[in-house]
Amino acid sequence: MKLVVIGLGQCGSRVADEFARLNKRARAQRRIEICPGVFAVNTDAADLSGLATIKSDYQHRILIGGRKTGGHGVGKINELGAEVAREDVDKVVDALRSAKRFYETDGFLLVAGAAGGTGSGSIPIITQHIKERYPDKPVYALVILPFEHEEETEERTIYNTAVCLKSIDSVADAVILMDNQRYVRKDFSLKNNLAKINSLIVEPFYDLLCAGEEKKAKYIGAKTLDAGDIIQTLLGWTAIGFGKSQLKLIKLPFERTLNFRAKSIETHKGIQAMDEAISELSIRCDPKDAGRALYLISAPAKEMNMDLVKDLGDWLRELAPNAIIRNGDYPRERGVLDITLILSELSDVGKVRKYYTQSTDLVPVIKRRQKEVAAKLQGIEEAAKDIPSLL
Ligand SMILES: Nc1nc2c(ncn2[C@@H]2O[C@H](COP(=O)(O)OP(=O)(O)OP(=O)(O)O)[C@@H](O)[C@H]2O)c(=O)[nH]1
Ligand SMILES: [Mg+2]
């Protein structure tokens, strides 16, 4: 599957930069193109120049709201983020067409952090315009949820997140949720090791996007997972997960794959990777709430057989009894068995519900504060009304 990726705001642009790197890797290792165009959009000029892989011309790193923000961001005010996006949306949509072989793309993926101003405010607006301009292509949103410590110290974090989620859910075909807090692990030296988190965020997309683009027979599975399967799966609130199981690289001559003992070990490895994919889902959710699901197994061809595929399918069916399940196999890896898992059309996501309820209480507080600021400004103008001006 080929996706045009558009990162909005600092968080979105950095994750998009990671997709550009993923595409480079697919080209170098597999001679496949998975992201024919990757763009970064921001109100902050310095953030745009800090990216590494996205092409550095103004058509790929797009500054919006320059006049209003002076190139310094919108300081977490998502209403301002939305406003500048509305004014400059044509600049973004026109730039997309510069992607080479744009017509080949299967869909769009827009990325933003929900808690900031620029990305959070602009993602619903840009999504809406792209959908209008390209009605026959799906538009997906990848939304990054804030760390707990951000929620605790700044109430605007929760408010922005709730507003962003509600707005994007009403325009995007699917909203893939990534919870920053779930990527904070003991094995990272820094709590905020954002670069590491970003690479974990994009990792599950590698095999998923590559599998349907393979041209060589030996890399094409018994059941290929192509763009159609992914498009049929992605709808509404979505979680994505990835699990890995190491396989023994060297087999003793008497160990045959078809030996029943070896086979049960194989299945066990498969289940182990599936369990990891579930426990590492990008957002906490209950698989029972999924209306659609998809799993992709990638492993060396000789490690995959119909029984493994069937056992994994049975296992997932037990965990997600209400989902239509699609699957595929991808004979690519060496020495590992990977499972990529998507749970979609989720009827409930606890964290989203929590943002909504908490914000309902915050709305009057934030509205009152905005009024107070406006009133104060008016007060100061009032006091100055008899003072002559030099202008
Ligand atoms: N995973 C990840 N999260 C990030 C990254 N950068 C920022 N964030 C998160 O994104 C949220 C802040 O959004 P930003 O993208 O910085 O804000 P912005 O869209 O640039 O908006 P303004 O700076 O307010 O104009 C916070 O919850 C951060 O934790 C990143 O590189 N990776
Ligand atoms: Mg910013």
Side-chain angles (χ1 to χ4, degrees):
M1 185 180 201
K2 292 189 197 310
L3 287 176
V4 162
V5 179
I6 306 150
L8 307 161
Q10 173 182 302
C11 173
S13 300
R14 287 192 192 157
V15 173
D17 208 38
E18 208 57 49
F19 271 99
R21 205 197 315 261
L22 208 65
N23 188 46
K24 251 188 163 171
R25 187 167 128 205
R27 278 164 58 171
Q29 293 179 347
R30 301 177 170 176
R31 311 213 169 282
I32 289 177
E33 183 93 35
I34 50 177
C35 305
V38 183
F39 302 85
V41 179
N42 206 340
T43 51
D44 189 317
D47 278 350
L48 282 176
S49 36
L51 302 170
T53 313
I54 294 178
K55 288 195 188 119
S56 58
D57 57 88
Y58 73 97
Q59 293 266 45
H60 287 84
R61 300 190 186 184
I62 307 162
L63 186 68
I64 56 167
R67 205 162 32 84
K68 278 216 166 77
T69 71
H72 296 304
V74 300
K76 306 256 177 282
I77 310 296
N78 61 349
E79 295 88 351
L80 189 53
E83 193 180 319
V84 298
R86 224 171 270 125
E87 285 168 10
D88 281 348
V89 66
D90 289 334
K91 204 164 157 183
V92 179
V93 178
D94 288 344
L96 298 181
R97 271 183 310 201
S98 72
K100 60 174 183 334
R101 305 219 290 231
F102 177 73
Y103 59 91
E104 278 183 8
T105 188
D106 297 298
F108 298 89
L109 182 70
L110 279 74
V111 194
T118 303
S120 173
S122 61
I123 191 168
I125 311 291
I126 311 265
T127 300
Q128 192 175 37
H129 279 82
I130 293 178
K131 274 212 77 73
E132 278 167 16
R133 188 81 76 97
Y134 303 100
D136 54 337
K137 291 201 198 285
V139 184
Y140 303 121
L142 186 76
V143 177
I144 290 108
L145 304 178
F147 295 103
E148 254 159 38
H149 69 89
E150 294 174 303
E151 295 175 6
E152 283 155 14
T153 50
E154 166 66 63
E155 33 186 47
R156 185 92 207 183
T157 302
I158 292 174
Y159 176 79
N160 282 1
T161 303
V163 172
C164 175
L165 290 174
K166 177 176 172 175
S167 318
I168 191 65
D169 180 44
S170 67
V171 283
D173 290 288
V175 182
I176 306 167
L177 297 167
M178 300 277 175
D179 184 359
N180 263 345
Q181 191 61 35
R182 296 209 19 119
Y183 295 88
V184 177
R185 310 261 169 79
K186 286 182 214 69
D187 50 330
F188 295 0
S189 50
L190 271 171
K191 193 173 181 192
N192 279 340
N193 194 340
L194 291 174
K196 177 74 186 159
I197 294 181
N198 293 348
S199 80
L200 289 174
I201 285 177
V202 303
E203 188 60 34
F205 290 89
Y206 190 51
D207 285 336
L208 191 68
L209 298 180
C210 284
E213 298 299 319
E214 289 285 358
K215 300 287 177 290
K216 275 203 179 138
K218 69 169 172 175
Y219 298 131
I220 295 178
K223 163 88 189 65
T224 311
L225 192 89
D226 57 18
D229 295 300
I230 299 173
I231 293 170
Q232 291 300 322
T233 301
L234 290 176
L235 186 76
W237 302 118
T238 302
I240 187 163
F242 184 73
K244 211 180 208 84
S245 230
Q246 292 295 330
L247 298 171
K248 234 193 303 178
L249 270 180
I250 306 160
K251 280 215 167 76
L252 298 171
F254 53 83
E255 278 187 313
R256 302 276 306 276
T257 340
L258 290 177
N259 166 325
F260 82 94
R261 194 191 298 271
K263 216 179 81 190
S264 83
I265 290 173
E266 232 161 56
T267 304
H268 180 73
K269 293 269 180 195
I271 301 272
Q272 191 184 323
M274 177 71 91
D275 278 343
E276 187 183 320
I278 289 173
S279 64
E280 306 277 295
L281 279 170
S282 58
I283 176 97
R284 188 182 304 249
C285 63
D286 185 346
K288 290 194 179 58
D289 294 327
R292 299 167 190 227
L294 173 156
Y295 65 97
L296 174 69
I297 313 169
S298 21
K302 60 179 188 312
E303 304 288 342
M304 272 187 293
N305 57 59
M306 285 327 286
D307 293 329
L308 172 66
V309 177
K310 187 181 169 300
D311 288 346
L312 284 174
D314 291 345
W315 181 231
L316 188 59
R317 156 85 31 239
E318 238 172 78
L319 294 166
N322 306 314
I324 301 169
I325 300 176
R326 291 182 171 79
N327 69 287
D329 60 306
Y330 185 21
R332 245 304 180 178
E333 297 297 345
R334 252 188 266 162
V336 288
L337 185 154
D338 294 341
I339 303 270
T340 312
L341 174 70
I342 297 178
L343 296 181
S344 198
E345 207 184 4
L346 290 163
S347 56
D348 187 26
V349 180
K351 202 148 191 194
V352 173
R353 210 150 27 84
K354 193 191 85 186
Y355 287 122
Y356 287 164
T357 26
Q358 288 183 348
S359 293
T360 313
D361 303 337
L362 280 176
V363 173
V365 179
I366 288 182
K367 285 243 167 80
R368 195 183 59 228
R369 211 171 292 157
Q370 281 169 345
K371 261 198 207 130
E372 276 168 15
V373 172
K376 260 196 200 144
L377 281 175
Q378 217 183 353
I380 224 171
E381 273 168 25
E382 194 75 8
K385 78 177 188 306
D386 295 329
I387 310 291
S389 162
L390 297 173
L391 298 171

